[in-house]
């Protein structure tokens, strides 16, 4: 939280913080933006946004733009992207995790030759993650069929994180009332999709 406040101090000093309405009007060709315009946005609808972000923005008279996905707020269910993050965070041995992931794939009619191909394609280190982490992320985010991904994520989440995903989501995400409170206090709220899909990985029909 102290780090967040230092970031706000820096932004207030070096930028002109604007409201969502100014950005919208600018995009419509109606107004000019001030020099060094900065729009603050907060994705994914986490409980931290109502506990820490909202009070601090109100104190500074700054508007934030919040983009929660519908599923986590309304249906109180874990987003798969967050489930994957918590699985990786809770697992101390990625080799075992990959073994379990691949075993689940084999049980869902993904052949060993397909898994070998997936490893060559996705088991490549990035700037931020090891090859093991990249493999798990890619497999569970978009490489596997949607139903297979969901089934495996649920199994791994229960094994490594929590057997009560509903309670976990209640602690993690904003509620509908929390979201109303953002609006009532002059924050801008938009949608981050229904369930935080990688839309560029989806077919046009799915989109």
């Amino acid at each position: 939280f102290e780090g967040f406040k230092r970031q706000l101090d820096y932004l207030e000093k070096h930028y002109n913080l604007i409201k969502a309405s100014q950005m919208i009007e600018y995009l419509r060709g109606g107004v000019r933006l001030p020099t060094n315009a900065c729009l603050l946005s907060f994705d994914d609808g986490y409980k931290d946004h109502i506990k820490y972000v909202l009070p601090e923005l109100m104190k500074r008279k700054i508007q934030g733009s919040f983009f929660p996905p519908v599923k986590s707020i309304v249906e109180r269910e874990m987003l798969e992207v967050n489930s994957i993050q918590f699985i990786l965070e809770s697992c101390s041995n990625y080799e075992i995790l990959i073994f379990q992931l691949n075993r689940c794939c084999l049980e869902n009619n993904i052949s060993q030759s397909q898994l070998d191909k997936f490893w060559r394609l996705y088991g490549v280190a990035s700037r931020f993650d090891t090859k093991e982490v990249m493999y798990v992320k890619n497999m569970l985010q978009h490489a596997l069929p949607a139903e297979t991904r969901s089934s495996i994520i649920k199994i791994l989440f229960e094994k490594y994180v929590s057997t009560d995903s509903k309670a976990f989501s209640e602690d993690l995400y904003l509620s509908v009332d929390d979201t109303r409170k953002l609006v009532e206090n002059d924050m801008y709220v938009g949608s981050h999709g229904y369930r935080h899909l990688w839309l560029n990985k989806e077919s046009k029909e799915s989109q």
Side-chain angles (χ1 to χ4, degrees), residues 1-11 52 56 60:
F1 186 43
E2 295 304 315
F4 173 63
K5 288 189 283 188
R6 286 195 300 272
Q7 290 173 338
L8 290 179
D9 290 340
Y10 179 88
L11 291 171
Y52 303 107
E56 190 64 25
R60 295 169 185 251

Side-chain angles (χ1 to χ4, degrees), residues 43-50 73 81-82 85 172-174:
D43 281 354
D44 298 346
Y46 299 122
K47 206 75 170 178
D48 281 354
H49 295 166
I50 205 77
I73 307 300
V81 63
N82 291 140
Q85 291 166 345
L172 183 62
Y173 299 118
L174 297 171

Side-chain angles (χ1 to χ4, degrees), residues 21-38:
S21 59
Q22 290 174 269
M23 174 61 77
I24 292 167
E25 285 304 308
Y26 168 73
L27 292 171
R28 289 174 173 165
V31 297
R32 293 174 63 87
L33 292 178
T35 305
N36 286 338
C38 177

Side-chain angles (χ1 to χ4, degrees), residues 91-184:
C91 178
S92 58
N93 189 321
Y94 292 145
E95 288 185 8
I96 293 176
L97 176 60
I98 289 174
F99 173 80
Q100 292 164 339
L101 166 58
N102 287 344
R103 185 176 62 186
C104 288
C105 288
L106 292 169
E107 292 170 356
N108 281 274
N109 300 315
I110 307 294
S111 69
Q112 185 61 54
S113 62
Q114 285 177 293
L115 289 176
D116 293 340
K117 182 179 178 181
F118 283 143
W119 175 256
R120 290 192 298 271
L121 190 61
Y122 299 120
V124 180
S126 73
R127 178 182 171 191
F128 301 105
D129 293 314
T130 65
K131 60 185 179 182
E132 291 81 8
V133 170
M134 286 301 297
Y135 178 74
V136 173
K137 282 185 174 181
N138 280 290
M139 290 289 280
L140 296 180
Q141 285 175 346
H142 61 83
L144 296 171
E147 287 187 12
T148 303
R149 291 201 309 264
S150 296
S151 172
I152 294 174
I153 289 169
K154 183 177 180 182
I155 290 168
L156 296 176
F157 188 86
E158 289 183 355
K159 179 175 180 60
Y160 285 103
V161 185
S162 173
T163 56
D164 191 347
S165 62
K166 183 70 75 173
F168 199 92
S169 71
E170 290 283 352
D171 289 337
L172 183 62
Y173 299 118
L174 297 171
S175 66
V176 171
D177 284 342
D178 292 333
T179 311
R180 286 197 185 100
K181 188 175 179 181
L182 291 173
V183 175
E184 288 164 0

Side-chain angles (χ1 to χ4, degrees), residues 9 186-187:
D9 290 340
D186 195 36
M187 300 296 135

